[in-house]
Amino acid sequence: MQAKERIIFPLDLPSFEEANRYVRLLSDHVGMFKIGLELFIRSGPGIIRTVASEGGAGVFLDLKLHDIPETVYRTVSVIADLGVTFTTVHCGESVKSLLAAVKGGGGKVHILGVTILTSVSPEDLHQSGYAKPFCSDLSGLVLKKAVMAKHAGCDGVVCSGLEVKMIKEHFGKSFIAVTPGIRPSWDGIKPDDQSRVVTPTQAIQDGADYVVIGRPIRDAGNPAEAARRIIGEIEEALSRMDA
Ligand code: C5P
């Protein structure tokens, strides 16, 4: 897979018009556009067709479902007919909803389990009642969630770049790892609300298949140029890995 194809740009934008502007600006520089709740709720499912035809890239419908199995099954059955490449379900607390998602997808959409959001810190987990060993070592919890996803037949997981190596070691190359929380080193590492961040180079070197990169591209003076710089960084990392 080429460097460009590994970049997922989230369309975290306030309007259909703005999203469309970024799609046109970045269609040659990213492999996939991610539609999240904000844009989906504002624009409806029609946005998927627009992004797919304007962008010439894949579409990732990131609704991060977290509900009872029957509701997840019914929802993913609908998503399966929208023609998107990836969709997400929280690994959550029970494998049953993940199984329902896989069944609902019927092989027509890749299902990714969201392990632990990259904005979550050990302190957050402690406050929400998780046992101490999982708060001090988040990777143990990410692994447990990934085991659930794998067991349910998901195609892969969303995890931070800090955990991607462990995921690949445990589940092998074909289990897809998508990593948000990416900050290029030249961006001065502004974490924003992300807690567990790594550079594109580190994520790719550790085995990430895809990197989700939003604000470092969206908020750059020249977003296309920022994306090109990231492609260059990923190309370098890939060529070092081939050598
Ligand atoms: O690069 P930036 O921090 O702007 O990326 C934000 C995007 O990453 C959002 O669209 C958010 O939904 C996504 N994200 C994700 N999974 C996480 C954390 C963030 O898909 N665990």
Side-chain angles (χ1 to χ4, degrees):
M1 203 179 1
Q2 282 180 3
K4 174 195 124 165
E5 290 165 43
R6 292 169 180 269
I7 301 177
I8 299 176
F9 179 74
L11 292 166
D12 295 330
L13 293 152
S15 70
F16 176 84
E17 290 72 27
E18 269 293 273
N20 228 338
R21 191 169 74 79
Y22 273 87
V23 167
R24 285 195 298 266
L25 204 60
L26 295 172
S27 59
D28 288 338
H29 307 295
V30 304
M32 210 176 288
F33 290 101
K34 183 167 88 71
I35 297 174
L37 279 168
E38 180 188 5
L39 189 60
F40 192 69
I41 291 171
R42 196 178 294 276
S43 309
I47 185 74
I48 293 168
R49 254 192 318 277
T50 308
V51 171
S53 58
E54 288 279 336
V59 177
F60 174 177
L61 185 61
D62 184 25
L63 303 183
K64 294 193 177 70
L65 304 175
H66 190 186
D67 214 315
I68 61 168
E70 173 68 6
T71 306
V72 169
Y73 167 72
R74 294 176 65 91
T75 307
V76 179
S77 307
V78 178
I79 292 174
D81 290 326
L82 295 177
V84 300
T85 305
F86 290 136
T87 200
T88 43
V89 182
H90 274 285
C91 292
E93 300 76 29
S94 157
V95 76
K96 294 189 197 98
S97 292
L98 293 167
L99 285 163
V102 171
K103 188 173 160 211
K108 291 188 269 181
V109 53
H110 291 304
I111 310 288
L112 301 175
V114 178
T115 55
I116 302 290
L117 295 173
T118 44
S119 56
V120 169
S121 67
E123 181 56 23
D124 295 328
L125 290 176
H126 178 66
Q127 278 176 6
S128 57
Y130 279 83
K132 259 214 171 96
F134 290 123
C135 302
S136 51
D137 177 20
L138 242 78
S139 60
L141 191 55
V142 170
L143 186 58
K144 266 188 173 295
K145 306 268 182 188
V147 167
M148 289 163 67
K150 177 75 180 168
H151 176 73
C154 291
D155 298 281
V157 287
V158 182
C159 65
S160 95
L162 299 176
E163 294 115 23
V164 70
K165 200 168 183 183
M166 168 188 80
I167 295 290
K168 288 291 177 175
E169 278 168 7
H170 273 83
F171 305 105
K173 270 191 168 173
S174 62
F175 194 60
I176 301 167
V178 175
T179 59
I182 303 292
R183 291 294 177 267
S185 50
W186 44 263
D187 198 34
I189 305 277
K190 280 186 295 181
D192 302 305
D193 62 347
Q194 301 283 19
S195 175
R196 298 172 357 262
V197 299
V198 306
T199 62
T201 300
Q202 190 187 335
I204 294 294
Q205 268 172 359
D206 285 352
D209 299 286
Y210 299 91
V211 285
V212 176
I213 311 183
R215 284 164 284 188
I217 295 176
R218 185 194 70 189
D219 300 342
N222 182 339
E225 175 54 29
R228 273 195 296 271
R229 260 180 103 170
I230 293 167
I231 291 174
E233 192 175 327
I234 294 176
E235 273 168 351
E236 236 182 88
L238 290 171
S239 66
R240 272 199 304 273
M241 287 160 73
D242 282 344

